[in-house]
Amino acid sequence: MAKRVAIVGAGVSGLASIKCCLEEGLEPTCFERSDDLGGLWRFTEHVEEGRASLYKSVVSNSCKEMSCYSDFPFPEDYPNYVPNSQFLEYLKMYANHFNLLKHIQFKTKVCSVTKCSDFTVSGQWEVVTMHEEKQESAIFDAVMVCTGFLTDPYLPLDSFPGINAFKGQYFHSRQYKHPDIFKDKRVLVIGMGNSGTDIAVEASHLAEKVFLSTTGGGWVISRIFDSGYPWDMMFMTRFQNMLRNSLPTPIVTWLVARKINNWLNHANYGLIPEDRTQLKEFVLNDELPGRIITGKVFIRPSIKEVKENSVMFNNTSKEEPIDIIVFATGYTFAFPFLDESVVKVEDGQASLYKYIFPAHLQKPTLAIIGLIKPLGSMIPTGETQARWAVQVLKGVNKLPPPSVMIEEINARRENKPSWFGLCYCKALQSDYITYIDELLTYINAKPKLFSMLLTDPHLALTVFFGPCSPYQFRLTGPGKWEGARNAIMTQWDRTFKVTKGRVIQESPSPFESFLKLFSFLALLVAIFLIFL
C-alpha cells in the first residue's frame, strides 16, 4: 500500500512536492486554503490571510531559463523575466501537464498537524482540516509543509518614535497593490529590499516626491548583465561558483563589489552597504539609478523621528513633509498548525537539517520545503528539496543520527565565516549551486562532469562553463529527463528568441575568427588544468 503524504500549500514548492510524490509511487493530498494554485504568484486585489501577497507589476528576478522546473521549460515565447500573470499561467501548465490538480483540495485550511499516539513506531500524523466550515481529520504517513515565508509581515513600529502621532497613511508593503494611491503625494518607503525599491520606483512616476530610507544600504543590480545577457545566466555558472569558492572571502567580495560598481557606483548614489564583508540579497531594479539621477527618488538614512505630518532622518535636522509611509520591512514566518515541539522558530530561522528536516523527531516523516533564501531561483531549489525529501520519506535515503544533524544546525546558526567564497549575512541564505549539488548527491543525480567530459565533451563544457540551469539536475539519477540535454544545448536560443525581433545578417571578420580560435584553444588548456 502506497504511503499517504499530506502537502500543505499549492504554490511552487507544493506543486513540485505533489509531482515528486507521484514519481516515487506515493499518494499525495495537497491542501490549499485559497481557491486556486500559484501561492505567491497569484495576484489578487485583496490580501488573503495565510497567503503571500504581491503587487500588480511584479516581475520575476530570475530569468525563465534559470527559474523553471527542471523538466518543464517555460514556453519559448515568454519574456526572459516573467510578469506574475504569465508566471501563474506557467504554473497552471505544469499542473495540467503532470496531472496534479486532482490531488489538490482547494478552499481547505490546515488547522493542525499533530503526531499520532504511536508516532515513535509508525511516524504517522493526524491532519485536521477545515473546508466550508466543516472540520475533518485524516491520518497520513508523512507531511510536507510548503507554505513559504512571506505571509507574516514584520512591522516594527516601536522602532519609529512618534509613529502613533502620524496623521498620514502608513501600511506594510504586503498591502500594496497599485501605485494610484501615491498620485501627487509625498511618499516615504522604509526598507531597501526588492519590494521597497520596486514600490519607490513605481511611486516616483505619480508622486510629488519619493524618499527611500535605508539603514544598511544594499547592492542594486540590473536584470540585464554584460552585453544584454540575463544577469543570473552569467553569474550562476559552475565555473564561476568554483572560482568564487576557491578565493578568500575579502577578495571575492571585492571582486563582486567592483563588478557591481562598474554599472553603478553605489557610494555616489548613497546605496553602498555598510557591511561589505557579508553578502546581502541583491536588489534587482533596472530603473532605480535613473529615478535617483533625475530627482524622482531621494535616498535617505534611517528615521530619527516621525511627527504628525513629517519625518526627520538621522544625520539631519531638516523635517520632510510626508503623506504616506510604506514599511517594506520584511517578514517573519511561523507554522501555526504545528506545535513548537515539532518545529520551533527562533531568530528568523528554524532548526532544520539541510533547511528541511527537524533533527529531533524519532521518525523523519515531516519535511519543510522552501524555507530557504538561495542566491538563485526558488523553484528549482524547492523542487530539488522535494526530490530528496520524498526519498527520505519513502525510506530510500537515510538521515544521519540526530546528534550529527543538530551539530550541523548549530554550526549554521552561529554563521561563522569560512574565509573562502561568499559570506552570507542571514541564516536562511545559501550558496545556490553548492546547496543544490549537495542534495543531488544524496539522490545520485549530480552531473558527473568527468565522465561526461569523456562521453559528451560538448555537453560537459556547456554544463561547467555555461549557466547552471535546472535542466542539469535531470541529466542522471532518479527522475532523469530525456529532454535535459537538448534543453541545456538550446537554452540560449530560447533566451534570445523573444528579443531578436529584427535580425541583421553580419559577415564575420577574419580577426574575429582568429580570436574565436585562440579563445577556444585557451579554453581547452583551462579545462585540461581543471580536470587534471
Side-chain angles (χ1 to χ4, degrees):
M1 183 177 177
K3 285 187 176 182
R4 299 185 66 211
V5 181
I7 298 171
V8 187
V12 295
S13 295
L15 294 176
S17 296
I18 298 171
K19 178 175 176 288
C20 290
C21 285
L22 294 174
E23 286 176 338
E24 293 298 325
L26 305 182
E27 185 182 317
T29 301
C30 179
F31 301 107
E32 169 57 46
R33 67 185 297 162
S34 69
D35 60 1
D36 203 355
L37 57 79
L40 166 69
W41 290 101
R42 187 166 69 85
F43 172 80
T44 55
E45 290 290 347
H46 304 286
V47 176
E48 296 179 8
E49 182 189 354
R51 193 174 73 83
S53 176
L54 67 130
Y55 35 98
K56 185 69 173 177
S57 61
V58 164
V59 175
S60 66
N61 284 337
S62 183
C63 72
K64 65 180 182 180
E65 293 301 314
M66 301 294 282
S67 59
C68 61
Y69 290 107
S70 57
D71 55 358
F72 195 75
F74 276 89
E76 61 179 14
D77 60 345
Y78 270 38
N80 284 297
Y81 291 96
V82 186
N84 64 82
S85 58
Q86 287 182 287
F87 213 111
L88 178 61
E89 284 303 313
Y90 167 75
L91 296 179
K92 290 182 176 181
M93 291 177 202
Y94 179 79
N96 288 322
H97 181 79
F98 293 107
N99 201 20
L100 307 181
L101 290 174
K102 67 180 182 180
H103 301 282
I104 305 174
Q105 295 184 17
F106 292 106
K107 296 183 179 179
T108 304
K109 177 185 176 182
V110 174
C111 303
S112 66
V113 176
T114 54
K115 297 177 185 176
C116 290
S117 57
D118 64 343
F119 180 82
T120 55
V121 177
S122 68
Q124 291 181 325
W125 301 86
E126 180 184 9
V127 179
V128 177
T129 58
M130 178 78 75
H131 175 70
E132 296 180 348
E133 299 185 359
K134 181 183 177 183
Q135 198 170 82
E136 293 184 359
S137 174
I139 303 300
F140 289 89
D141 299 299
V143 176
M144 300 177 77
V145 179
C146 308
T147 52
F149 51 83
L150 298 175
T151 56
D152 301 322
Y154 175 60
L155 194 59
L157 296 181
D158 293 343
S159 300
F160 299 91
I163 188 66
N164 293 326
F166 183 62
K167 291 185 176 180
Q169 182 182 3
Y170 69 84
F171 55 88
H172 190 273
S173 57
R174 173 174 162 79
Q175 306 292 324
Y176 172 70
K177 295 294 179 178
H178 301 280
D180 305 7
I181 58 171
F182 300 131
K183 185 173 174 59
D184 299 327
K185 303 291 186 181
R186 297 175 68 89
V187 180
L188 167 63
V189 180
I190 299 174
M192 209 190 82
N194 280 294
S195 295
T197 306
D198 281 352
I199 294 170
V201 167
E202 280 199 1
S204 70
H205 291 279
L206 294 172
E208 179 184 331
K209 199 168 188 178
V210 176
F211 297 96
L212 179 57
S213 170
T214 174
T215 301
W219 291 118
V220 180
I221 66 172
S222 172
R223 291 177 175 86
I224 305 168
F225 211 67
D226 294 347
S227 303
Y229 296 115
W231 80 272
D232 41 347
M233 292 185 78
M234 301 301 291
F235 187 84
M236 219 69 68
T237 73
R238 292 182 178 277
F239 171 70
Q240 288 209 37
N241 197 67
M242 182 194 73
L243 198 61
R244 285 192 292 266
N245 290 335
S246 301
L247 295 173
T249 298
I251 295 177
V252 177
T253 53
W254 178 80
L255 289 171
V256 170
R258 184 173 180 272
K259 181 64 179 176
I260 294 173
N261 279 322
N262 282 341
W263 175 65
L264 174 71
N265 188 310
H266 281 53
N268 291 343
Y269 282 69
L271 300 170
I272 195 161
E274 283 189 357
D275 183 358
R276 294 185 286 282
T277 59
Q278 293 184 314
L279 184 69
K280 294 179 67 175
E281 182 181 3
F282 290 144
V283 177
L284 274 290
N285 199 287
D286 307 294
E287 289 189 67
L288 182 63
R291 305 312 288 174
I292 295 173
I293 205 168
T294 56
K296 302 297 183 182
V297 173
F298 297 87
I299 304 298
R300 292 291 184 266
S302 57
I303 308 299
K304 181 179 181 180
E305 184 181 2
V306 180
K307 299 193 175 182
E308 288 187 355
N309 299 295
S310 63
V311 300
M312 288 182 63
F313 297 100
N314 280 311
N315 303 326
T316 178
S317 58
K318 181 183 177 182
E319 292 186 25
E320 294 286 357
I322 296 294
D323 301 306
I324 299 176
I325 301 177
V326 182
F327 287 92
T329 45
Y331 293 83
T332 59
F333 64 88
F335 305 104
F337 48 85
L338 287 173
D339 189 81
E340 278 197 356
S341 64
V342 177
V343 177
K344 188 174 182 180
V345 178
E346 289 181 304
D347 301 324
Q349 59 181 311
S351 296
L352 302 172
Y353 179 64
K354 304 301 178 187
Y355 300 96
I356 300 174
F357 289 101
H360 61 281
L361 294 179
Q362 299 95 326
K363 297 285 185 178
T365 54
L366 183 136
I368 310 293
I369 306 298
L371 190 63
I372 186 174
K373 294 181 180 179
L375 187 61
S377 175
M378 194 59 243
I379 283 188
T381 304
E383 181 191 31
T384 308
Q385 286 184 322
R387 290 174 68 188
W388 177 51
V390 165
Q391 296 277 328
V392 174
L393 299 178
K394 189 179 177 181
V396 175
N397 270 209
K398 303 293 183 184
L399 296 181
S403 59
V404 175
M405 293 191 287
I406 291 170
E407 183 180 353
E408 181 177 309
I409 291 168
N410 290 336
R412 189 181 74 226
R413 189 183 292 272
E414 292 175 9
N415 198 25
K416 291 181 179 179
S418 65
W419 304 112
F420 285 89
L422 291 170
C423 180
Y424 299 92
C425 66
K426 293 183 179 178
L428 290 181
Q429 289 183 316
S430 174
D431 186 305
Y432 174 71
I433 296 177
T434 303
Y435 178 70
I436 292 281
D437 274 354
E438 186 176 19
L439 300 187
L440 291 175
T441 301
Y442 297 151
I443 60 173
N444 197 29
K446 180 183 175 182
K448 298 177 175 61
L449 285 175
F450 185 74
S451 59
M452 194 186 300
L453 188 64
L454 300 176
T455 59
D456 193 344
H458 191 188
L459 177 62
L461 296 180
T462 305
V463 167
F464 186 68
F465 289 101
C468 187
S469 48
Y471 320 120
Q472 296 187 13
F473 314 150
R474 292 281 181 175
L475 285 168
T476 186
K480 178 182 177 181
W481 178 41
E482 293 302 325
R485 186 190 188 281
N486 182 63
I488 292 169
M489 304 308 291
T490 57
Q491 57 195 351
W492 286 112
D493 297 333
R494 288 187 299 278
T495 298
F496 293 118
K497 181 178 176 62
V498 289
T499 59
K500 282 187 176 180
R502 176 174 171 267
V503 180
I504 303 297
Q505 297 296 329
E506 296 182 27
S507 55
S509 67
F511 177 73
E512 184 180 352
S513 301
F514 173 76
L515 196 60
K516 285 183 178 179
L517 177 62
F518 179 79
S519 300
F520 179 71
L521 293 175
L523 183 62
L524 289 179
V525 173
I527 294 165
F528 178 77
L529 294 175
I530 289 169
F531 289 100
L532 190 61

